Structures are given as C-alpha cells and as structure tokens.
C-alpha cells in the first residue's frame, strides 16, 4: 500500500510531468523526489512534537532550541518545495542545465531531510527524558 | 414457463450485482455514548480565510455537505493527482447547491488568500462552490487530524496526512460519512456514489 502511494505520483509524473524524457535526467529527478517522499510524511510529526513541547510551558533553553529546530526543518521543507517549482521552467533547457539544477537540489533536499530527522529525534529524546 | 424462470433468474442476477447499497451512509469514526445517545466524531468549530479574503467558519457550511482535502500550491507529487479528482467532483456537482468543496492549505506562509485566488482562477472554479482555505498553521494541522483520524483507524493506513491525498465527505451535522484516496480514481468513483447517497438523504 505504501509502495503504491509512492508509485502513483511517480507514474503520474512519468505520464504527465514536465517532459524531461532523458533517462539520466529522469533518474536524477526520481532520486530527488525519493528523498522528499521519504520525509514528507514526517511533517505532521514535527507539528505534533512542537505542540507537545509547547504544552510543557517551559522556558528551558533546550526546549526553545528544539522548537526552533523543528520550525526551521518544517520551513526548510516548505521553502524547498516552493523553490523546486522552478524545475518546471527548465522544461526546454539543455540536459546539462537540468542535471546541474537537479544535482544541486539533491544536495538541498538531503540537507532538509537531515534537518527534519535530527530535529525530530532530538525532540523525541527530550520528551522521553 | 421456462422463459419466466430464466427471466427471473436474469433479473435476480442483475439485482444481486447492483453496486449501490441502499439506506443511509454510515457515520465514520470514534463514537461514544452520552446518556442514551450515540455521539459520533464531529468536525469542531473552525475559522479560516478563503481565496476572496472572507472568513469562513462552520456556519458557512452548515446547510451543505462537503468534501474536504488538504493540499498546498507548491506540492510536487500527490496534490496534482488529488486536484484532478477534486475537479471531477466539482464538475459533477457544479449545479447541485447542496454540495461544496473545501481545500485547506497546509502551507499558509506561502498560500495566502491572494495565492489561493490565483490558484482557483487557474482552475476556473467558482469561489462560492470550491473554497480554498488558509489561516493559522497550527489550526490547519489540528483540523486535518479531525478530518483524518476516523480514516486513520485503519492500521494499514500510511502515517502522516501531509502526504496522504484523502478526500473526506462531511454531512450537514459535521459527521464524516465517507472518504476516498484522491490518488486513486476508482476510489473517487465510489466516493461519488456515496455523495449521491448522502444527497438522497436530504431530499
């Protein structure tokens, strides 16, 4: 079922997405989306953790840092997705231009993924102490 | 005589395969007993802003049934699929005033009323029929849980609503009556039948 949820958008993009038909470009695009798709479902975890920490009504600086890290991770993902809309405008660009863009986006989304995972596990550890 | 039997059998088979169940749609989600009354999961009060900059609360939807989903305009993967199915629902009930569509953004930072207005304009949909709502981020996430919790009781359901394209059907009493995966057209075909059944309950 989970695989289907992942497969469907890929199928859709393959069929209806920007026509970046080159296999190498497509492969790299899929890699970028794979990183995104893995952590996107964790966005609601971030929101739930923020809420739980705020409920403690603590002014413990550690908690405040955790809240900020969660916020930054959430905003990191949201702004990455907004920026990534730019890919559509590269539809008629050269293969090299697409690969260059996707390679830099792969680094960016990997950073966002790391930020999300780190802030989530730090917050979970704090709440379980 | 044989002909009559064959004909009856034929009719029986046809009616046996009838896909639309009769009677009212069930109410979905957690229920509890209050005194002697059974209370079903109910969508709580809310206050958001639509693509025209107008405040929308439960009052504006009180005399309608509606389908609800969560999206954001920069969503790269699932939302375009769900949007297509929401458009199917819009097209089918465009002239049925009982039905409304309500899409909530989970990215209110970027999805301002102006941005949602442009998005709706690109879809060429009526702002009174299909409401695009934005507002306080936490309130949006919280109401998402209220819509999805009943659907999430299925242990096989994927976690994290942000990436789930569920479309929920809500009745006039704010009870959830059906839902479908907005990424699966066949599921929405089923949902359309449930919308018909719910409309029939109010006629």
């Amino acid at each position: 079922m989970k695989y289907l949820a992942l497969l469907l958008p890929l199928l859709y993009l393959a069929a209806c997405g920007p026509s970046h038909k080159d296999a190498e470009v497509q492969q790299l695009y899929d890699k970028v989306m794979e990183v995104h798709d893995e952590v996107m479902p964790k966005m609601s975890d971030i929101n739930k953790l923020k809420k739980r920490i705020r409920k403690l009504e603590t002014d413990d600086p550690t908690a405040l840092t955790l809240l900020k890290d969660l916020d930054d991770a959430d905003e990191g993902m949201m702004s990455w997705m907004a920026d990534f809309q730019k890919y559509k405008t590269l539809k008629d660009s050269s293969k090299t231009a697409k690969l260059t863009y996707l390679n830099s986006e792969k680094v960016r989304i990997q950073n966002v993924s790391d930020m999300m995972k780190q802030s989530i596990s730090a917050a979970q550890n704090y709440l379980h102490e | 005589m044989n002909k009559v039997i064959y004909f009856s059998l034929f009719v029986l088979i046809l009616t046996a395969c009838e896909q639309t169940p009769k009677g009212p749609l069930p109410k979905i989600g957690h229920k509890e007993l209050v005194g002697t009354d059974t209370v079903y999961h109910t969508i709580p009060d809310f206050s958001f802003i639509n693509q025209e900059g107008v405040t929308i609360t439960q009052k504006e939807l009180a005399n309608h049934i509606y389908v609800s989903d969560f999206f954001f305009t920069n969503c790269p993967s699932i939302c375009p699929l769900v949007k297509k199915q929401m458009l199917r629902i819009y097209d089918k009930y465009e002239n049925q005033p009982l039905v409304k569509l309500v899409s909530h953004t989970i990215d209110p930072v970027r999805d301002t009323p102006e941005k949602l207005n442009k998005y709706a304009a690109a879809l060429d949909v009526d702002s009174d029929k299909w409401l695009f709502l934005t507002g306080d981020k936490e309130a949006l996430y919280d109401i998402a849980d209220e819509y999805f919790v009943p659907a999430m009781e299925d242990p096989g359901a994927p976690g994290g609503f942000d990436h789930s394209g569920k479309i929920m059907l809500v009745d006039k009493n704010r009870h959830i009556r059906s839902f479908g995966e907005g990424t699966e057209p066949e599921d929405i075909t089923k949902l359309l039948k449930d919308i018909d059944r719910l409309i029939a309950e109010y006629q």
Side-chain angles (χ1 to χ4, degrees):
Chain A
M1 192 56 209
K2 275 187 182 161
Y3 295 111
L4 191 65
L6 285 176
L7 194 66
L8 274 170
L10 292 179
L11 268 177
Y12 170 81
L13 282 163
C16 321
S19 64
H20 299 283
K21 287 220 178 82
D22 185 273
E24 201 183 337
V25 171
Q26 187 59 46
Q27 225 175 9
L28 187 53
Y29 175 86
D30 291 348
K31 278 232 169 79
V32 171
M33 288 311 290
E34 206 178 289
V35 180
H36 162 269
D37 287 350
E38 189 213 337
V39 288
M40 189 63 200
K42 299 188 199 296
M43 291 291 274
S44 48
D45 298 345
I46 288 185
N47 202 59
K48 287 195 179 94
L49 287 167
K50 267 162 55 183
K51 225 169 155 179
R52 282 175 61 194
I53 294 175
R54 257 181 304 198
K55 253 192 194 149
L56 301 175
E57 289 182 9
T58 171
D59 45 17
D60 175 7
T62 313
L64 299 180
T65 309
L66 288 171
L67 274 178
K68 190 179 177 304
D69 290 349
L70 288 167
D71 267 335
D72 289 349
D74 178 305
E75 178 54 27
M77 176 54 105
M78 283 300 185
S79 60
W80 178 80
M81 290 184 294
D83 293 345
F84 193 60
Q85 297 286 319
K86 191 192 161 199
Y87 185 56
K88 289 177 186 162
T89 66
L90 296 181
K91 204 176 166 194
D92 300 318
S93 303
S94 69
K95 180 180 164 182
T96 322
K98 284 175 196 163
L99 289 176
T100 308
Y101 179 76
L102 287 172
N103 269 315
S104 73
E105 290 309 298
K106 202 177 124 201
V107 175
R108 281 188 68 204
I109 187 63
Q110 193 56 59
N111 284 337
V112 169
S113 168
D114 294 345
M115 266 168 74
M116 284 179 67
K117 285 179 182 169
Q118 278 159 16
S119 64
I120 287 171
S121 73
Q124 280 168 341
N125 287 338
Y126 180 81
L127 286 164
H128 289 150
E129 262 168 16
Chain B
M1 188 55 199
N2 266 347
K3 267 186 189 167
V4 175
I5 291 171
Y6 282 130
F7 181 73
S8 319
L9 268 176
F10 181 66
V11 170
L12 251 177
I13 289 164
L14 269 187
T15 46
C17 296
E18 174 66 54
Q19 294 244 322
T20 315
K22 297 276 183 285
L25 274 175
K27 296 183 179 73
I28 297 171
H30 172 78
K31 56 190 167 198
E32 51 185 293
L33 272 174
V34 178
T36 54
D37 293 333
T38 307
V39 179
Y40 290 91
H41 179 75
T42 307
I43 301 299
D45 290 358
F46 58 84
S47 178
F48 297 119
I49 298 164
N50 76 356
Q51 68 266 44
E52 306 280 344
V54 176
T55 301
I56 301 291
T57 70
Q58 65 286 346
K59 283 181 197 139
E60 279 68 39
L61 293 167
N63 292 313
H64 299 276
I65 67 173
Y66 65 97
V67 288
S68 165
D69 78 329
F70 287 77
F71 85 113
F72 50 108
T73 57
N74 291 316
C75 170
S77 46
I78 286 199
C79 311
L81 295 170
V82 179
K83 179 171 78 181
K84 211 171 158 189
Q85 298 306 315
M86 287 292 276
L87 274 168
R88 259 179 89 194
I89 299 172
Y90 181 91
D91 287 341
K92 179 162 179 191
Y93 301 106
E94 197 174 356
N95 299 313
Q96 167 51 269
L98 188 61
V99 180
K100 288 198 191 266
L101 297 90
V102 182
S103 292
H104 309 72
T105 179
I106 57 157
D107 185 14
V109 176
R110 275 152 284 262
D111 289 342
T112 57
E114 297 76 31
K115 183 87 181 278
L116 293 177
N117 194 296
K118 274 187 198 153
Y119 186 81
L123 291 175
D124 193 24
V125 295
D126 176 21
S127 62
D128 195 43
K129 182 82 184 174
W130 188 347
L131 293 80
F132 290 89
L133 302 183
T134 185
D136 177 67
K137 183 159 178 162
E138 197 175 321
L140 286 160
Y141 271 78
D142 285 349
I143 201 116
D145 282 342
E146 296 290 341
Y147 281 105
F148 291 131
V149 156
M152 290 304 178
E153 283 167 4
D154 169 9
F161 70 82
D162 320 76
H163 229 186
S164 105
K166 283 191 172 55
I167 301 177
M168 314 299 295
L169 174 63
V170 185
D171 71 13
K172 283 188 184 181
N173 296 319
R174 296 195 251 165
H175 297 309
I176 292 169
R177 303 296 293 274
S178 184
F179 63 90
E181 294 294 339
T183 47
E184 296 173 33
E186 279 177 28
D187 226 30
I188 302 310
T189 304
K190 214 177 101 264
L191 184 66
L192 290 172
K193 283 185 186 157
D194 285 345
I195 298 173
D196 286 339
R197 278 176 74 191
L198 189 55
I199 292 171
E201 284 179 34
Y202 292 109
Q203 281 166 346

